[in-house]
Amino acid sequence: MNKKQPSMLSWPIIRKGLAYIMCGRLYVRRGHLPPPEHPVPADFIGICIASAEDAAMDDYVISQLQQLGIHQVRLDFSYGDLQSFNARFLQRLLDDRFQVTLHLVQPFSNARNMGDAAEQALWRTFVHAVLERFGSRILRVEIGATINRKRWAGYSVDGFMQAWDIAYQEIRQRGITLAGPNVTDFEPIYNIGILSMLKARNQLPDIHTNNLFSERVSEPERFDHRIFKYRWATRLKFNLVKKARLLRKISTDFGIARFISPVAFWAIYRIERLLPDGEQKQADYLARYMVLNAASGALDQVFWGAMICHREGLINDGLSDAEYPALERVTHYASVDGDRSQFRRHPSFYAMQTVAGIVQGANYKAAIATACGLEIHHFQTAQHHIHAAWTINGKVALLDDIYHASDLRQAEIISRDGELLADAPHIINESPIYLRWPISHTMTAKPGSRLAGNLAIHAYIPGLRYYPYHQDGWFGMILAKDAEEAALLAKELNPQHLSSPHKNDALRHARNAIWALPDPRTATENPAQETTRKITVKQPVKMYPHKQFFDRFKPSKAKRSWNGAVELLRRGIDSAQPVAFFEKEQDATLKQNFYICDYVTADCSVGEMFIHFAKGNKDFHIAAKNITVSAEETYAQLAQYLFKMHHRGTFFRDLSGGNILVRADAGKQLHFSLIDTARARFYSYSTPLSQRVSDLTRICNKLHWAGRERFLGLYLANMSRKISFRIRLAFYLYDFKVAFKRKYGRKGIKKLIKRIRNAD
């Protein structure tokens, strides 16, 4: 049976799915918003588990489940498992009174041959034997394994229907609860088509199952761009809540009373394609995902899987990606691998422990804010009112803007990982917090709860916290290790006392004044360094009329510089460490704002190196360190740095040679740091090629063509591309633009007038 099998997306499925959709049935009014006033089941959260040959692994897994406080588990069971450690482990789970969803999985090669009578008999024998041994004690049986992913599951439509028919007969005659068909992701045409076919056979499941992933849209709150692409995402509003509610509606329309998501996760390696803090972000997404599903009111249960795995697990198994099994664990989580002595908990373990203890069995009251970049969800238990609060995508909200001071004084604030915070935060960021009040306390959020306008932060700068500054008509943000240091910075860098120096005393003085000051923190940390450590201050001092008009509709330059720097750091791209920014409220001049960052000690800039190479030199000598770096080494290392920047969704827009500072170490390793960050734009996906080329034309402007070709070749090799005519054209056009501006632009005209005057 090696013939190519038909796809799962067959004409009957398409026809039934389209008929349902075209009749307007795939619709829930305001479906992207959670409905108010509904209970969250006490067994709402479950987890996918496995064990290993060593019986000690059973003890380990069960002890971790007990510490999580989770009793709902899902176990994959396949051919040969009745004679393997899996039968031992299942028996142990049942003896310890765990509620087990037993997922019966056909091996891929068997599933793809279900048209064969011998294969059908083998499947029936397996299902019969498993149910005879364990059927009376398990909670339910699930049939189907990512059936819309044929490369994982192996099924054709007819093959799956054969497998379902056999399992349905065996399960029904024993009165066991049946769940399925296990569609993965949000592809409702499969759910509708398969359920229609099962209904025609009078073989519908008791529970509708769909693996409700949000991983590929990055954050759980995002509107799904994969449905008619990015331009339609915010119009159609297919977020996690809407998807859950629509799938629940499909269940109801087919007369199925319950709906669960058997598997979902965020793989750390996938997160780290964009953000370096993969483990922390996984924990954030897990907590937010569980809260949103609880708020949706659409699901009876949600499972995370797998529990132990270095990629997506709550516990790292210590293995590498090369040791990951060939078949995705979303389809078959066969075993726990690795040496138990190397296991360690991810932050997501504690996030799961915390969210399970908060939302399970609670009543969901309402959304205080949702689907707007700020999420605040109100739950109520017998003892407490609880607000789960967070922002998305590096945004920030100020607690004082949302809650009255009297309510904040009465609140206990719990971190994402369950720590009761003695030093209460001033902000809400991407990492969820839980604000808890006694049930007797009546709290009211201020009307119009919203994000702090056009402000970004990086939540995971080690040892530092954010402190809002709001006094004497000035607003800002300070990044400090504690409240005492924040107060020191606020005093010593009081924006009312800051003023740009004379041109001769500044590091730069053109449209912006940039100057250095002694770092106020040095005296408290190490008095011996008081004269060496500096900070840099930037203030706009000249605004051309057209800029003054258009910049009125943008954040202040200081805030844009702050946002650019923290976003770069958030994405793992080196930039000067922000210290603070301040802006005068209602400032008509647009010049009363200051951005302050650490002073970057550099050996040179990329611009200096490129000018040197453009003269035909093959090496660049850094005299202060007696280090010589070749052009080839420079091109190779810079190409990797800029590729990483673009791959992580950054379009810098001002990538001149002077804006990349360089520090070299003894091993000729170059460390790059971006400055002048106010113009940068950021995406939740890799930067498009056209914008990458726009950045590259700027950085290469002073480099000769031989150097450009070598540098671009190294950069484009990361994308398996070569220098095309279109890319060359972009460079020629930019060269022409620069030459034209130098001759006929504002500076060119000034130089011409000066020459005429000197001639007279």
Side-chain angles (χ1 to χ4, degrees), residues 49-53 75-91 102-107 126 129-130 133-134 332-335:
I49 59 172
S51 188
E53 289 284 354
L75 180 68
D76 289 353
F77 214 80
S78 189
Y79 291 4
D81 280 348
L82 281 171
Q83 294 79 41
S84 79
F85 64 86
N86 239 4
R88 179 200 71 215
F89 183 47
L90 175 55
Q91 186 67 49
L102 194 61
H103 180 216
L104 300 186
V105 183
Q106 272 188 292
F126 167 71
V130 172
R133 183 168 172 184
F134 295 110
H332 186 192
Y333 182 22
S335 64

Side-chain angles (χ1 to χ4, degrees), residues 379-401:
F379 295 85
Q380 180 181 309
T381 67
Q383 295 81 30
H384 297 104
H385 293 285
I386 301 168
H387 285 187
W390 67 90
T391 64
I392 73 167
N393 196 34
K395 304 304 181 186
V396 61
L398 308 181
L399 279 169
D400 286 342
D401 287 349

Side-chain angles (χ1 to χ4, degrees), residues 536-602:
T536 303
V537 184
K538 177 180 177 181
Q539 179 191 15
V541 292
K542 184 185 291 185
M543 298 287 289
Y544 295 107
H546 71 287
K547 291 288 291 181
Q548 191 159 16
F549 175 77
F550 288 113
D551 280 9
R552 291 183 184 280
F553 308 102
K554 300 177 183 178
S556 69
K557 271 196 172 182
K559 184 183 283 186
R560 280 182 276 152
S561 296
W562 167 280
N563 288 346
V566 297
E567 264 298 350
L568 286 168
L569 293 172
R570 181 172 171 261
R571 294 162 190 261
I573 310 300
D574 287 343
S575 182
Q577 177 73 60
V579 175
F581 83 89
F582 305 104
E583 59 184 12
K584 184 72 173 177
E585 296 175 306
Q586 308 302 320
D587 171 30
T589 71
L590 308 184
K591 300 175 187 176
Q592 296 188 72
N593 56 88
F594 302 92
Y595 171 61
I596 304 165
C597 64
D598 285 348
Y599 182 89
V600 178
T601 302

